[in-house]
Amino acid sequence: MKLFLDTANIEEIREINRWGVLGGVTTNPSLVAKEADDPERVWKEILTEVEGPISLETTELEPEAMYQQGLDLAQMAPNAVVKVPMTPEGLGVGKRLTDEGIKINVTLVFSPAQAILAAEIGAYIVSPFLGRLDDVASDGMDALRTICDIYEIQGYDTLVLAASLRHPMHIVESALAGADIATMPFAVFKQLVKHPLTDAGLEKFLGDWKALKQELEKGA
Ligand code: E4P
């Protein structure tokens, strides 16, 4: 399972990219708006920083305008993936873009039925939102498991991207469910690496090493 960052903040992206595990980035209009900068500049910086797929979301609702915007976003860089919403218009435009050889990510997916539609238009990625389902007392992980099972049974090539993840166990369970990608905020990415026993173990190892050095220096 590839690990993506769900952010438009270049500093967060650079920090995680240094770990060598960053597979790609997902952005959405809310995340880009948080940067309070020209969206094109924000997207370009991310597209250059990370080699993997970078999702850039359309904001037009009228099909022709959404299609033109999709074409513009796609030509920004070879690793650009165009996000379209799970609506009748988004599906129609997504199919047209896919037919042009453009990689699309169908976003705002909340049910297995919607995920089937995304696969049927040949989407590159489908994004079920787990956390937002949990927020309305539904079971996001159960929806993800069902989507992964259906894709396996049907032999769909569309990659399942577990989105709206809120804590490390969301990532662990997404991997177990068979998701191809998990995208998460910076704070959750940082939680993945942390374990109190790692910190305690390192402190002890370094303490013992320092004590050895001091002993040797005394004896010299
Ligand atoms: C990713 O593509 C989605 O836009 C994102 O994961 C949504 O997450 P949120 O529910 O935390 O806003």
Side-chain angles (χ1 to χ4, degrees), residues 32-177:
V32 174
K34 263 170 70 180
E35 298 310 305
D37 198 353
D38 172 36
E40 278 221 11
R41 188 165 39 231
V42 171
W43 284 325
K44 274 194 181 133
E45 222 173 359
I46 301 171
L47 288 160
T48 310
E49 176 68 27
V50 181
E51 271 180 39
I54 313 297
S55 289
L56 316 176
E57 190 157 342
T58 54
T59 48
E60 299 290 346
L61 292 180
E62 191 277 315
E64 206 46 46
M66 192 194 294
Y67 175 68
Q68 283 307 322
Q69 191 182 21
L71 291 179
D72 291 345
L73 292 174
Q75 60 78 43
M76 286 186 76
N79 55 340
V81 175
V82 177
K83 258 184 171 180
V84 294
M86 172 47 72
T87 59
E89 295 77 15
L91 284 171
V93 169
K95 173 80 169 82
R96 283 174 73 190
L97 293 170
T98 297
D99 288 347
E100 299 267 346
I102 291 168
K103 288 180 172 170
I104 66 150
N105 174 349
V106 182
T107 191
L108 291 166
V109 167
F110 294 93
S111 74
Q114 291 179 322
I116 291 172
L117 292 173
E120 285 295 329
I121 62 161
Y124 174 57
I125 289 172
V126 64
S127 294
F129 280 36
L130 275 63
R132 292 193 195 190
L133 274 171
D134 293 350
D135 290 345
V136 294
S138 199
D139 189 340
M141 194 53 68
D142 190 54
L144 178 75
R145 280 192 211 102
T146 306
I147 292 167
C148 289
D149 287 352
I150 292 171
Y151 275 35
E152 179 76 25
I153 291 164
Q154 295 296 326
Y156 287 140
D157 291 332
T158 301
L159 301 175
V160 179
L161 181 152
S164 188
L165 304 182
R166 305 274 163 80
H167 51 74
M169 283 314 290
H170 263 156
I171 286 84
V172 172
E173 287 177 27
S174 295
L176 212 48

Side-chain angles (χ1 to χ4, degrees), residues 205-219:
F205 286 159
L206 295 183
D208 290 346
W209 191 252
K210 198 172 158 194
L212 169 68
K213 291 279 196 143
Q214 282 167 352
E215 275 306 306
L216 293 175
E217 272 166 26
K218 257 195 263 167

